[in-house]
Amino acid sequence: MGRATFIHVLALSSLLILFPTQAFAQLKQNYYENICPDVETIVRNATAAKVRQTSVTIPGTLRLFFHDCFTQGCDASVLIASSGSNTAEKDHLDNLSLAGDGFDTVIKAKAAVDAVPGCRNKVSCADILTMATRDVVMMAGGPSYAVELGRLDGLSSTAASVGGKLPKPNMNLDQLTAMFAANGLTQADMIALSRLCAHTLGFSHCNQFTNRIYNFSKQNPMDPTLNPTYAAQLQQQCPKNVDPRIAVNMDPNTPRTFDNMYFKNLQQGKGLFTSDQVLFTDSRSNQTVRSMASSPQAFSDAFVAAMTKLGRIGVKNSQNGNIRRDCSVFN
Ligand code: HEM
Ligand SMILES: *[C@@H]1O[C@H](CO)[C@@H](O)[C@H](O)[C@H]1NC(C)=O
Ligand SMILES: *[C@@H]1O[C@H](CO)[C@@H](O)[C@H](O)[C@H]1NC(C)=O
Ligand SMILES: *[C@@H]1O[C@H](CO)[C@@H](O)[C@H](O)[C@H]1NC(C)=O
Ligand SMILES: CC(=O)N[C@H]1CO[C@H](CO)[C@@H](O)[C@@H]1O
């Protein structure tokens, strides 16, 4: 090998090391403009109709996108149903009860897209979930943003692939930061996402936080960072040995809208999960929480940047993906 070639190969391989996930290079805005030009309006209309039927569509869809992207990438693997021989991602114990309305949003939007002859089987389920997620954020009063598209649907979905990839509500800042970093997201990305997604909307089952109100440590049965009034309210909603199906609003004040309340709640010790509260109590993240709380623009920019990065995780291309005809079944 000549010296020049050698240097070339060296440069190329270090590029590959620096950018191991080249697959996202194919993503772009308006990806479908010559393929299915109205796709974004079609998906938005179908999503809006679903939200009018039931507002729990909003948190359900948002969380589905997050879980899809964090396990095997944003490739709609979370939508696959288990079959006789395979237990799919959605049936892992850590699926933490993903809401059926999130799945239904994608099914309805896919049907609306496929009803247009030129669009039939041209738009991936992964992209439909990405668009619907952007739409529910906006419908709940969050920022609107342009989405990058061009993902293909993944070819595998196994419960085994979920283990250890999703954050847990009792994690500390180091654990959370490491888990997001493994997906290319910074601590600021994590804080922005946590504010808008987790957890100003939606519900949590009591068992996700009962340790904080009944069995925190030897010295303290209750987590001392928890606001006592809020803790009493949670104990009332979630008595010991409560029915595991019982769920509570994650934002005690304004559960239906995206707003600044998440940060105000944290400042008053009203973060439902340890993973929420540590963002404020840990000195390595409280500065970021504060600046996002005080500047809506800073927050909005950070959120859009974080959602865009979230959407780039593990994107599939024609070598390892396709466009599913039915989002819940491999072709
Ligand atoms: C920071 C680490 C995170 C942890 C530890 C976490 C944990 C949880 C837990 C335990 C629940 C309650 C599940 C249940 O009991 O039914 C939940 C719900 C939810 N999470 Fe997260 N989550 C995190 C990040 C995120 C992010 C980044 C998003 C959005 C991009 C998100 C979106 C949601 C939504 C929307 C719900 C409500 C679902 C519903 O009501 O159907 N979460 N999360
Ligand atoms: C979306 O809905 C609007 C308002 O209902 C309607 O005017 C428009 O034709 C719909 N667009 C598509 C592409 O479905
Ligand atoms: C409380 O926590 C301890 C360990 O921290 C555990 O051994 C015990 O089973 C827990 N009790 C309940 C009721 O969850
Ligand atoms: C962050 O937390 C540290 C330690 O608790 C505290 O000294 C500092 O003032 C806090 N900073 C902000 C901006 O809240
Ligand atoms: C732990 C948990 O919530 N498991 C649920 C996973 O999803 C299936 C349905 O797809 C539920 O039956 C499980 O209860």
Side-chain angles (χ1 to χ4, degrees), residues 38 41-42 45:
D38 289 333
T41 319
I42 299 168
N45 280 2

Side-chain angles (χ1 to χ4, degrees), residues 15 32 68 88 106 113 125 145 166 216 222 263 268-269 304 318:
L15 260 182
Y32 291 101
D68 187 35
V106 181
V113 170
C125 300
Y145 52 95
L166 292 169
F216 185 69
M222 204 186 278
F263 290 134
Q268 295 166 14
V304 172
S318 54

Side-chain angles (χ1 to χ4, degrees), residues 25-38:
Q26 70 184 317
L27 293 181
K28 58 175 187 177
Q29 292 177 11
N30 303 314
Y31 176 86
Y32 291 101
E33 66 184 335
N34 299 316
I35 301 170
C36 174
D38 289 333

Side-chain angles (χ1 to χ4, degrees), residues 7-20:
I7 290 173
H8 191 79
V9 168
L10 202 70
L12 201 71
S13 50
S14 55
L15 260 182
L16 287 176
I17 293 163
L18 282 174
F19 302 104

Side-chain angles (χ1 to χ4, degrees), residues 12 54 59 65 78 99 121 137 157 202 314 329:
L12 201 71
T54 168
F65 180 66
V78 73
N121 297 326
V137 166
S157 171
V329 184

